[in-house]
């Protein structure tokens, strides 16, 4: 884990969710550096059944950086208990001039250093900004 002031998922899950999204979508650092800051090299990220390893998770950031111009994370609940985390949050992303609102339920397992080792999440697109 980096020694900078970035929040680890273990120490501050809410701020991790916000910081990771901002850094991966809008940061100047290489997406691999951002991915490694918050996740172990063997990260297993499952989103709606789709498996993303470190390489695929990092590759996902490149098109996001080209198409998303604004992103907000509204964390409704966040829980850390031992090496387990859970969160329910809403992600609002302005992509290609259109707000996409996604509800996310995330469950994860932490490595001893506080980074995420595994993520299982369920997502549901709930509409556009006008639907809220």
């Amino acid at each position: 884990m980096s020694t900078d002031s970035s929040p680890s998922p273990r120490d501050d899950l809410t701020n991790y969710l916000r910081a990771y999204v901002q850094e991966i979508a809008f940061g100047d650092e290489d997406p691999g550096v951002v991915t490694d800051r918050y996740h172990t090299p063997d990260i297993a990220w499952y989103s709606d059944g789709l498996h993303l390893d470190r390489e695929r998770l990092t590759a996902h950031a490149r098109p996001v950086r080209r198409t998303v111009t604004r992103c907000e994370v509204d964390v409704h609940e966040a829980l850390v208990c031992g090496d387990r985390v859970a969160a329910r949050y809403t992600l609002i992303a302005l992509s290609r001039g259109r707000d996409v609102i996604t509800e996310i339920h995330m469950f994860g397992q932490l490595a001893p250093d506080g980074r995420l080792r595994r993520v299982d999440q369920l997502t549901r697109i709930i509409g556009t900004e006008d639907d809220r």
Side-chain angles (χ1 to χ4, degrees):
M1 180 96 184
S2 164
T3 58
D4 63 19
S5 62
S6 299
S8 79
R10 176 184 53 214
D11 297 330
D12 192 342
L13 184 60
T14 296
N15 282 327
Y16 151 77
L17 292 167
R18 292 180 181 135
Y20 175 65
V21 167
Q22 289 301 310
E23 290 176 35
I24 206 70
F26 306 112
D28 294 329
E29 291 179 294
D30 180 81
V33 172
V34 177
T35 299
D36 292 342
R37 178 175 302 125
Y38 297 107
H39 310 99
T40 60
D42 62 341
I43 181 71
W45 188 296
Y46 295 87
S47 184
D48 301 323
L50 177 65
H51 175 241
L52 302 172
D53 59 11
R54 181 198 176 277
E55 182 179 321
R56 291 182 74 189
L57 188 60
T58 301
H60 175 71
R62 289 179 177 89
V64 167
R65 286 184 173 187
R66 287 192 304 270
T67 62
V68 173
T69 55
R70 179 178 49 83
C71 200
E72 299 171 32
V73 176
D74 184 9
V75 180
H76 309 295
E77 298 176 272
L79 175 68
V80 178
C81 184
D83 71 343
R84 304 295 176 160
V85 298
R88 184 175 62 85
Y89 61 101
T90 303
L91 180 83
I92 304 165
L94 181 62
S95 179
R96 299 176 192 213
R98 180 174 162 249
D99 271 323
V100 178
I101 304 168
T102 307
E103 181 179 78
I104 301 169
H105 295 139
M106 182 198 83
F107 305 91
Q109 182 178 19
L110 299 169
D113 67 2
R115 294 183 294 169
L116 279 164
R117 168 179 283 149
R118 180 183 174 104
V119 170
D120 291 277
Q121 69 179 24
L122 300 170
T123 68
R124 179 173 68 116
I125 296 180
I126 58 175
T128 65
E129 191 66 31
D130 295 336
D131 297 331
R132 285 186 95 188

